[in-house]
Amino acid sequence: MKLKYYSASQIHNGKQWLPQGSVIAISDDGTVMDVLSENDIPAADIIHLEGVLCPGFVNAHCHIELSHMKGVVKEGTGLVPFLQSVVSERNKFTEEDKQAGIVSALKEMRENGIVAVGDIANGTDTLPYRTEADFHIHTFVEALGFSNENIEQRFAWPENVYRQFAAQQSVREGQILRQSIVPHAPYSVSEGMFKAIDGFDEGSLISIHNEETAAENEFYEEGTGQMFELYETLKIDAGFFEASGKTSLQTYLPWLAKSHPLMLVHNTFMNAEDVKVLKESGREFYLCVCPNANWYIEQRMPPVKLFMESGLPVCLGTDSYSSNHELNIWSEIECIQKYFPEIGLEILLTWATYNGAKALQMNTIGLIEKGKRPGLVLIRENKIERIL
């Protein structure tokens, strides 16, 4: 077996910086065979790279199927007008436009050092392209239905989509392709639909758009606010809804069994009480933040300093081209550094690699450790090069 030996100015193994002089031994198939000292290897055998070397990035939240919508939706509108625009504009494109957008997005993410994606799907647009993608994909098939009526009929659509993804077999050695049915958001899924999702697959990974706008919590706490404008657009009768007096997270969390690992996405308006509830919940959970998308939509950053200080597991996502200018995890890191300069690169690289891999339940990536196949990314002068 032929090995390559890589060293760099700095190496981050997914959890922390490695000691200076560390060398990574990699096999032909990308498996880490060992982490050594440069004193153990002839200098002529070592490939030295200038910059920061780390595991491949994990994009824990993306809507690849919306990749044809770059620049279509205005910035800074707030979530409700944003959603109204997405609903009205997403199907005004040809199938060729949609396919071209998906192909371009997959290529861009690979070039940006991404090795795994948590992808949101409302249909099967991305199905033909999953096996062609040079990275791992967990497809989150969204269920929608803000009504407790006709739950079985409404659930039939995501179940059919799920089964088509589940039948697909990867043609790439070692590629992980998984799927689960998940709620879109607390304001678009009723308690009855939550329970249908909960019962479909007892241990499935659940992703949900969480507390992305202040209007979401106002709706749950007081039963008032801007969410009713969205329901009017979608011709949904929300008259049955009764406010709980609690945030959306604190309301729906008991509707999902603790057997589900949970990834909460955006969390832009999460507060300290929500954090306390999560920490005391006894659940496996991860907080996925998409800072560039949050700024694009709401002109607001999620409280990532609160998350860091609370010791909560954070990972990173890009959201979609309807709410972002690029699909680039390094750009998300730069955005956090801009607004929270006190959060160091060692922590941010952990969020971008190891934590993302854990959130997607992919234990072969995210960590430079013997037996793993994490991919390698070089960061040099704020540019990304995928080494493996």
Side-chain angles (χ1 to χ4, degrees):
M1 180 186 298
K2 186 179 174 81
L3 300 181
K4 289 184 177 180
Y5 298 95
Y6 290 98
S7 71
S9 309
Q10 285 183 286
I11 299 178
H12 190 287
N13 72 353
K15 291 183 176 180
Q16 60 193 7
W17 297 118
L18 291 181
Q20 287 293 318
S22 295
V23 176
I24 307 165
I26 301 278
S27 69
D28 290 338
D29 68 355
T31 302
V32 177
M33 302 307 294
D34 211 343
V35 179
L36 308 163
S37 166
E38 60 186 8
N39 298 324
D40 301 325
I41 309 295
D45 293 342
I46 299 174
I47 302 169
H48 182 78
L49 303 170
E50 294 295 328
V52 173
L53 195 62
C54 70
F57 294 141
V58 177
N59 185 355
H61 180 78
C62 188
H63 298 249
I64 298 174
E65 68 185 12
L66 296 180
S67 296
H68 60 288
M69 294 190 68
K70 187 174 184 179
V72 172
V73 181
K74 292 180 180 179
E75 296 185 49
T77 63
L79 183 67
V80 171
F82 168 82
L83 292 172
Q84 290 169 323
S85 294
V86 172
V87 169
S88 66
E89 299 295 327
R90 67 179 295 174
N91 292 320
K92 291 183 178 179
F93 295 80
T94 66
E95 287 303 313
E96 289 75 16
D97 290 334
K98 294 178 183 178
Q99 292 166 17
I102 290 169
V103 170
S104 177
L106 295 176
K107 180 175 182 291
E108 179 186 353
M109 283 195 282
R110 187 195 187 285
E111 291 173 350
N112 287 335
I114 291 168
V115 299
V117 178
D119 180 41
I120 299 295
N122 292 119
T124 57
D125 287 352
T126 58
L127 180 63
Y129 302 98
R130 286 208 310 174
T131 56
E132 297 178 12
D134 191 15
F135 39 70
H136 312 293
I137 300 178
H138 187 114
T139 300
F140 294 106
V141 179
E142 284 188 333
L144 296 101
F146 197 69
S147 170
N148 285 322
E149 297 180 358
N150 303 317
I151 297 294
E152 185 175 340
Q153 180 181 345
R154 293 173 185 272
F155 193 75
W157 170 261
E159 184 175 355
N160 177 55
V161 172
Y162 166 88
R163 297 206 183 282
Q164 291 182 68
F165 279 105
Q168 187 179 59
Q169 298 296 317
S170 174
V171 296
R172 294 181 183 271
E173 181 183 356
Q175 183 190 31
I176 300 169
L177 294 180
R178 296 184 186 141
Q179 49 285 315
S180 53
I181 298 179
V182 302
H184 166 253
Y187 55 80
S188 61
V189 175
S190 67
E191 180 178 357
M193 184 63 82
F194 263 102
K195 291 180 177 178
I197 295 165
D198 179 64
F200 179 71
D201 183 351
E202 185 176 295
S204 64
L205 173 60
I206 296 290
S207 166
I208 181 171
H209 297 77
N210 180 70
E211 295 175 296
E212 193 175 355
T213 176
E216 178 182 318
N217 279 334
E218 180 185 350
F219 180 66
Y220 268 85
E221 290 170 343
E222 302 175 19
T224 59
Q226 200 177 20
M227 277 302 158
F228 285 98
E229 295 177 19
L230 179 63
Y231 298 139
E232 185 177 349
T233 298
L234 298 175
K235 296 180 172 54
I236 293 172
D237 181 3
F240 73 93
F241 180 78
E242 294 183 9
S244 66
K246 298 183 290 187
T247 64
S248 64
L249 172 64
Q250 294 176 45
T251 303
Y252 73 74
L253 202 59
W255 301 342
L256 294 169
K258 292 182 180 180
S259 57
H260 294 287
L262 191 61
M263 182 164 66
L264 307 173
V265 182
H266 294 302
N267 312 298
T268 323
F269 291 84
M270 184 179 282
N271 60 34
E273 181 62 25
D274 289 325
V275 167
K276 182 174 182 289
V277 167
L278 275 175
K279 292 184 74 169
E280 295 175 353
S281 69
R283 296 171 177 270
E284 179 184 359
F285 66 89
Y286 303 86
L287 303 183
C288 179
V289 296
C290 310
N292 280 314
N294 298 144
W295 191 259
Y296 191 110
I297 297 170
E298 291 274 352
Q299 306 279 281
R300 179 178 172 124
M301 287 288 106
V304 291
K305 185 179 179 183
L306 169 65
F307 302 157
M308 181 193 71
E309 291 175 343
S310 299
L312 302 183
V314 178
C315 56
L316 304 180
T318 63
D319 211 40
S320 76
Y321 258 144
S322 64
S323 61
N324 208 332
H325 298 288
E326 55 186 324
L327 305 179
N328 186 346
I329 291 298
W330 178 250
S331 178
E332 304 302 322
I333 289 175
E334 290 183 311
C335 183
I336 294 174
Q337 288 179 318
K338 175 182 177 180
Y339 290 98
F340 303 94
E342 66 273 27
I343 303 179
L345 185 59
E346 184 175 37
I347 290 172
L348 292 172
L349 287 176
T350 298
W351 293 359
T353 59
Y354 178 72
N355 281 7
K358 288 201 71 177
L360 293 182
Q361 313 290 297
M362 296 181 181
N363 60 13
T364 60
I365 62 170
L367 187 61
I368 297 173
E369 183 179 80
K370 186 174 181 179
K372 307 285 189 183
R373 296 178 65 178
L376 290 178
V377 166
L378 181 68
I379 307 162
R380 183 179 181 185
E381 297 178 349
N382 290 325
K383 294 183 179 178
I384 302 301
E385 180 183 353
R386 183 167 169 174
I387 304 300
L388 290 173

